[in-house]
Amino acid sequence: MTERPAGNTGRVLRLVHELGPVTRAELTRLTGLNRSTTLAIVGELVELGLVHESEGSATGTTAGAGRATAGAGRASAGAGRASAGAGRASAGVGRPSPVVRASADVVAAAVTVEVDAVTVALVGLDGTVRERAVEPSDAPPSAATAIETIAVLVERLTAGIGPGARLVGIGVAVPGTVHVGDGVVRYAPHLGWHDEPVAGPLADRTGLPVRVTNDANTGAWAERLYGSGRGVDDLVYLNGGASGIGGGVISAGRPLSGADGYAGELGHTFVAANGIRCHCGAVGCLETEASRDALVTAAGVAPDDQAALAAVLAEHRPEVERVVDRQVTALATALRNAIHTVNPEVVVLGGFLGVLLQHVGDRIETEVRAQTMAAMTERLRVLPAGLGDDVLLRGAAETGFRDLLRAPTRPHGRDDAAGEARTA
Ligand SMILES: [Zn+2]
């Protein structure tokens, strides 16, 4: 089959994209390909404009290898070999191996749709956030309004980054259940969306490939690649935002998707028998018992001002601490259920849940351990999201790059014809 070489090209591009600048010698070692094959693949990726290669001056190589090692070192056993390899490569006395880095001019449009804003960022294949625009709204946008807003912001931002850049796709993160196959948002309760096709109409409107995912699922993946869960194969991510609590699970190094892509809705798992009725119809859901609105109302701060929330929490006011106590208890119960189901190594908390975690320190972990089978938590760490406010955008960018990374040699984006002519 002709898929094999294309698959290797994708593997090499994915490594350069995810690890950052990396020597060609390391790529050879990580992929297990022979040197001439790696040389040919990198050459092809350079011709396609997807990566750049620079001669490894001794310092340049070491810096490149050092960053890659830092990334890989925290990664899996396989990546452990990379650190050893990098060490040998930079310690060697021969010519240093050239450093390969992903192009900042190959960009994906990363989109988050929230009840109070649509945000679009152009993110380079090297991970840099090139441009960003936020369109705030007083009321949750309809799907049609969101699609139009996204299209307008993408046009404006693309015009701003100049003709050298190439937009290869759009990734949209939505707080709701999304059928990942066709990009239909099945139910986004806070937005009020039922069965709204998003990928199709947005692709028609922009002429670009579009993929739509659940926001917390993509946040989990971003934290695994670049954040607090870097290199961790079993991870639970909870995002506390304007649209309640979303969840995402990474199991055995892969996103847990479920039959239709709806898995990981931990915000609607059961935590309180005499709890509040949730908009989903059930009683005692995590997102009603640990709600951002309740916490910011008690603290008297603006809903999306995490710095202000942290500052008020630091005052330890009794009336605020009572809300904190209830939310920590609800969160610990939800995590107990998730941990017994998934056996994660790391739990990552994003949005206001990250602020809550930093306020209460190891209390969440302690409460979780008190009600969880000991073996389940031997290696468990509960950490705030390493990507901070950018976690969902970085995840959406990964979604936007998905097709390119799967098949780098196929044309991608709107200027396919021009791209083919340029690289012919
Ligand atoms: Zn619910």
Side-chain angles (χ1 to χ4, degrees):
M1 271 173 56
T2 54
E3 283 303 306
R4 182 175 277 272
N8 283 334
T9 310
R11 274 173 70 204
V12 170
L13 182 62
R14 180 176 289 279
L15 283 169
V16 176
H17 166 63
E18 292 178 359
L19 293 180
V22 55
T23 65
R24 210 163 66 205
E26 274 184 271
L27 289 172
T28 299
R29 200 173 304 277
L30 285 166
T31 54
L33 298 167
N34 61 46
R35 269 165 50 186
S36 61
T37 305
T38 310
L39 178 71
I41 287 174
V42 171
E44 187 180 16
L45 292 173
V46 169
E47 274 192 32
L48 289 164
L50 299 172
V51 305
H52 304 296
E53 201 176 26
S54 53
E55 275 313 315
S57 70
T59 50
T61 304
T62 308
R67 271 197 295 280
T69 306
R74 269 163 289 174
S76 52
R81 289 197 301 274
S83 349
R88 277 199 293 280
S90 42
V93 292
R95 262 166 54 113
S97 179
V99 175
V100 186
R101 61 193 77 223
S103 170
D105 279 336
V106 176
V107 297
V111 181
T112 60
V113 181
E114 272 287 1
V115 292
D116 53 2
V118 171
T119 303
V120 178
L122 297 185
V123 181
L125 192 59
D126 66 341
T128 52
V129 178
R130 299 274 312 261
E131 299 280 337
R132 182 193 307 252
V134 183
E135 186 75 28
S137 59
D138 294 330
S142 68
T145 301
I147 288 165
E148 184 57 26
T149 302
I150 295 164
V152 168
L153 293 181
V154 167
E155 282 302 323
R156 190 198 304 164
L157 294 180
T158 309
I161 58 169
R166 179 159 41 125
L167 183 55
V168 297
I170 301 177
V172 185
V174 175
T177 48
V178 180
H179 194 284
V180 291
D182 55 15
V184 171
V185 177
R186 296 301 307 280
Y187 180 41
H190 299 269
L191 297 172
W193 297 7
H194 288 267
D195 292 318
E196 294 284 358
V198 173
L202 185 57
D204 290 344
R205 173 71 174 75
T206 59
L208 287 159
V210 178
R211 284 186 177 270
V212 185
T213 57
N214 170 269
D215 58 356
N217 286 2
T218 200
W221 191 241
E223 280 293 318
R224 186 205 182 232
L225 288 182
Y226 309 115
S228 297
R230 190 179 274 211
V232 171
D233 282 342
D234 296 277
L235 175 154
V236 169
Y237 174 69
L238 285 180
N239 185 71
S243 302
I245 293 180
V249 175
I250 308 293
S251 183
R254 301 173 67 89
L256 186 71
S257 160
D260 297 298
Y262 310 147
E265 282 290 345
L266 296 165
H268 298 280
T269 51
F270 177 66
V271 298
N274 298 309
I276 303 161
R277 182 164 298 278
C278 179
H279 56 81
C280 78
V283 165
C285 293
L286 172 63
E287 81 169 35
T288 50
E289 302 304 320
S291 98
R292 190 181 80 167
D293 280 354
L295 190 59
V296 298
T297 301
V301 299
D304 53 359
D305 192 342
Q306 294 192 9
L309 177 61
V312 171
L313 290 178
E315 295 169 13
H316 293 275
R317 292 186 210 153
E319 72 276 18
V320 181
E321 287 303 307
R322 277 194 291 275
V323 179
V324 167
D325 290 347
R326 279 202 302 275
Q327 298 208 349
V328 165
T329 299
L331 188 56
T333 305
L335 290 179
R336 158 194 174 175
N337 294 331
I339 287 163
H340 281 111
T341 310
V342 178
N343 182 205
E345 183 182 339
V346 169
V347 169
V348 179
L349 300 179
F352 86 91
L353 294 175
V355 178
L356 195 63
L357 172 64
Q358 282 169 318
H359 172 58
V360 300
D362 55 13
R363 242 180 72 197
I364 292 174
E365 226 175 281
T366 305
E367 286 203 25
V368 168
R369 285 181 201 282
Q371 52 187 312
T372 305
M373 291 195 297
M376 289 280 185
T377 55
E378 272 168 7
R379 290 200 295 146
L380 179 74
R381 290 172 290 148
V382 180
L383 304 170
L387 295 171
D389 293 345
D390 281 346
V391 54
L392 299 184
L393 280 177
R394 290 296 299 277
E398 291 305 307
T399 309
F401 282 128
R402 187 175 303 167
D403 294 313
L404 172 73
L405 292 171
R406 278 189 185 161
T409 54
R410 281 195 216 129
H412 294 275
R414 222 167 356 195
D415 60 343
D416 291 344
E420 282 179 307
R422 193 168 53 242
T423 56

